[in-house]
Amino acid sequence: MSVVADQVTARVSLESHLQEHLSLFRTLSGLAEPTERIAEAIVSALQKGNKLLLCGNGGSAADSQHIAAEFTGRFVKDRKPLAALALSTDSSALTCIANDYSFDEVFSRQVLGLGRPGDCLLAISTSGNSRNVVRAAEAARTIGMRTLGLLGRDGGLLRAICDLAIVVPSTTTARIQEAHIFIGHTLCAMVESRLGLG
């Protein structure tokens, strides 16, 4: 093994990642207010018979699907399903739109086709600059949807487009994603509680 490889092995450990994780998570209480406001926006939409659409790329696509599943399935207790749909799950729609238009449009065209005024879009991006997620938020605004952001770093372009945004204060993608799924779980619990379902 080379000296460089030995140095990398020495620097990266469970403990180093855990300390980085804990350091970030100690700051998350500062995100209580925007988390409450986003939960209230989702509750308001669901109470009116509207739905939650979610989108993101890569790990954020997985988070979109995970959170949507918590809504349509259950989070902790048995209760009625809640209307939520991740836009990354339909491979035929994704590949059709990417092929016929561009990858930048894979979420925006679904938003325009499936979204309705009063629905919410939860746009998930660790950078806040994913072009297809930005385009989805722009499309949502044009049809009267509420745009919600689960972001990282400085919030990127999405911060200004979203009606409400939670911006995780980190520049490390993996740590932002860990915070995003924690916040996603918290949103599920808050929505269930406010709807009297938890």
Side-chain angles (χ1 to χ4, degrees):
M1 188 177 288
S2 70
V3 173
V4 172
D6 284 339
Q7 290 172 347
V8 170
T9 302
R11 285 198 305 268
V12 177
S13 66
L14 175 65
E15 186 61 28
S16 67
H17 278 200
L18 179 60
Q19 290 309 313
E20 191 178 340
H21 172 92
L22 292 172
S23 177
L24 172 60
F25 270 58
R26 288 187 194 101
T27 72
L28 296 187
S29 58
L31 302 177
E33 190 267 341
T35 303
E36 290 274 354
R37 292 182 67 198
I38 284 181
E40 288 166 8
I42 296 169
V43 166
S44 177
L46 294 174
Q47 285 176 327
K48 294 172 184 171
N50 291 104
K51 62 187 172 294
L52 174 65
L53 301 180
L54 305 93
C55 66
N57 295 295
S60 298
D63 288 344
S64 296
Q65 293 168 210
H66 184 153
I67 295 166
E70 303 287 17
F71 276 89
T72 58
R74 66 175 184 182
F75 183 56
V76 176
K77 297 182 179 177
D78 282 330
R79 42 90 173 149
K80 69 177 186 178
L82 301 173
L85 177 67
L87 301 179
S88 55
T89 58
D90 186 339
S91 59
S92 295
L94 292 173
T95 54
C96 166
I97 296 166
N99 184 63
D100 293 352
Y101 298 91
S102 79
F103 193 70
D104 287 352
E105 307 299 323
V106 294
F107 299 134
S108 60
R109 289 190 66 85
Q110 292 186 80
V111 165
L112 293 173
L114 301 170
R116 297 292 178 265
D119 288 348
C120 290
L121 174 72
L122 182 58
I124 307 178
S125 173
T126 59
S127 68
N129 292 316
S130 298
R131 188 66 192 143
N132 55 4
V133 181
V134 170
R135 296 280 292 153
E138 291 169 342
R141 289 176 71 97
T142 68
I143 60 173
M145 290 177 62
R146 197 90 185 268
T147 52
L148 315 172
L150 189 50
L151 314 172
R153 295 178 174 79
D154 64 358
L157 296 171
L158 278 164
R159 187 174 198 160
I161 299 169
C162 289
D163 297 312
L164 299 168
I166 299 166
V167 182
V168 173
S170 175
T171 57
T172 304
T173 298
R175 303 294 86 80
I176 296 168
Q177 289 173 334
E178 290 158 11
H180 279 179
I181 201 59
F182 172 80
I183 293 165
H185 280 161
T186 302
L187 288 170
C188 291
M190 293 167 82
V191 168
E192 285 187 349
S193 174
R194 283 154 180 73
L195 290 173
L197 304 172

